[in-house]
Amino acid sequence: MKLWKAALITLSGLIAVSVISNAHAQQDNSFTGTVERVWEDGFRLNTGDRSVRVDAWELCGDSTASHISVEDQLTVTGEFELGEFDAFSITRPDDTAVCSQEK
């Protein structure tokens, strides 16, 4: 019985650490890089380590290309959903917002 309790306490602790780590990672999802390609409602951002397909529709609607160009340096915050990174904010190096919810 003592072994069962010890295992249960250990497992509970591991689950709590996992949940806290996942919550922190979701809050701190951001990428900084150079825009490689732009389309009507998104763009591809090269971070140096990877290329991230960014869905900017919530912020820019279908006019992303009016606000973002290839070679722009941007920081994007958001979360991954269905293989794309849904942008919650897009900023330039001087911290100015790009297309803040102007669909």
Side-chain angles (χ1 to χ4, degrees), residues 1 20 29 31 40 42 49 52 67 79-81 83 85 94:
M1 191 64 158
I20 290 168
N29 267 348
F31 295 98
E40 66 185 19
D49 296 333
V52 179
H67 302 278
E79 67 183 5
F80 281 102
E81 184 177 321
F85 190 73
D94 65 359

Side-chain angles (χ1 to χ4, degrees), residues 29-103:
N29 267 348
S30 68
F31 295 98
T32 299
T34 305
V35 176
E36 294 180 317
R37 183 172 175 257
V38 182
W39 51 91
E40 66 185 19
D41 62 353
F43 57 96
R44 187 172 60 231
L45 187 71
N46 184 330
T47 68
D49 296 333
R50 66 191 287 188
S51 285
V52 179
R53 185 177 167 97
V54 178
D55 180 351
W57 190 85
E58 285 294 323
L59 299 172
C60 302
D62 287 332
S63 62
T64 301
S66 298
H67 302 278
I68 296 172
S69 301
V70 171
E71 298 296 321
D72 281 355
Q73 299 291 313
L74 301 174
T75 297
V76 182
T77 62
E79 67 183 5
F80 281 102
E81 184 177 321
L82 301 173
E84 289 188 322
F85 190 73
D86 286 344
F88 298 157
S89 70
I90 305 168
T91 55
R92 298 191 187 285
D94 65 359
D95 287 332
T96 57
V98 176
C99 353
S100 49
Q101 299 181 355
E102 55 179 68
K103 293 180 263 185

